[in-house]
Amino acid sequence: MTKASRSANRETYPYRLQLRSQKYAPVEVEMLDLTGRDPVRRLVPLYFTTVHGNPFTDRTWSGEWVKWRTKAGWPADPKQGGFQALRHFYATRLIANHVDAKEVQRLLRHANLKTTLEIYVHFWPRQDRVRGIVGAILQTALTQKGTT
């Protein structure tokens, strides 16, 4: 692609996007918004819906995931390449990035914190690492006291 054709392509992009939005208009769906303190029902424009115009659910995504995974040549074993494996990856990345256990529970939509901890407790840092941190701080304080 030449520089001139890329430039022309960029100029028509908003127009093409507008045409696509007219052809594939979002579907207005009433959904429960749980992001605030109190649940609120809102009309939400969805671009990705089922063939019946319903929002994608966990089960819908799981079905689509199997199709996508197969096309991509991923393992057929659900334990290695299934949607649950993707969910598990998401959870462990949250934990590795120091997200609070209660927030991980909320994001995974577990009914209670106990479920989250039973499944993922081995991914949270061990207590001896915390003791090591405290020990390092105390060692630094002793070293500084000896030099003054």
Side-chain angles (χ1 to χ4, degrees):
M1 185 180 279
T2 67
K3 187 175 181 180
S5 63
R6 278 195 304 267
S7 178
N9 208 12
R10 276 193 291 262
E11 291 171 11
T12 60
Y13 179 76
Y15 177 70
R16 288 190 331 220
L17 185 61
Q18 182 182 13
L19 287 178
R20 181 168 174 76
S21 295
Q22 290 169 357
K23 185 175 180 181
Y24 303 104
V27 177
E28 292 281 332
V29 177
E30 186 176 295
M31 297 185 74
L32 191 59
D33 181 352
L34 300 173
T35 58
R37 179 162 275 206
D38 297 318
V40 178
R41 291 204 167 274
R42 300 184 192 281
L43 278 179
V44 179
L46 297 179
Y47 281 95
F48 301 101
T49 61
T50 65
V51 293
H52 304 292
N54 297 320
F56 271 75
T57 63
D58 294 355
R59 289 179 190 226
T60 309
W61 277 116
S62 291
E64 293 301 313
W65 178 251
V66 169
K67 293 177 201 171
W68 299 333
R69 186 184 72 218
T70 303
K71 282 185 180 180
W74 285 23
D77 180 5
K79 290 183 179 180
Q80 293 180 4
F83 194 72
Q84 191 63 28
L86 184 63
R87 179 179 162 88
H88 187 66
F89 174 78
Y90 173 62
T92 58
R93 294 303 87 207
L94 290 171
I95 294 164
N97 285 284
H98 311 290
V99 174
D100 181 64
K102 191 74 176 158
E103 183 67 6
V104 173
Q105 176 220 337
R106 187 186 73 77
L107 292 168
L108 295 175
R109 298 188 326 187
H110 287 154
N112 54 54
L113 185 57
K114 181 182 175 189
T115 302
T116 308
L117 292 175
E118 285 177 350
I119 296 169
Y120 297 106
V121 69
H122 55 284
F123 288 100
W124 263 283
R126 291 197 173 111
Q127 289 297 340
D128 58 346
R129 292 181 190 151
V130 174
R131 283 193 293 270
I133 292 169
V134 172
I137 292 169
L138 293 174
Q139 185 63 43
T140 302
L142 283 174
T143 304
Q144 289 175 350
K145 184 177 179 184
T147 59
T148 55

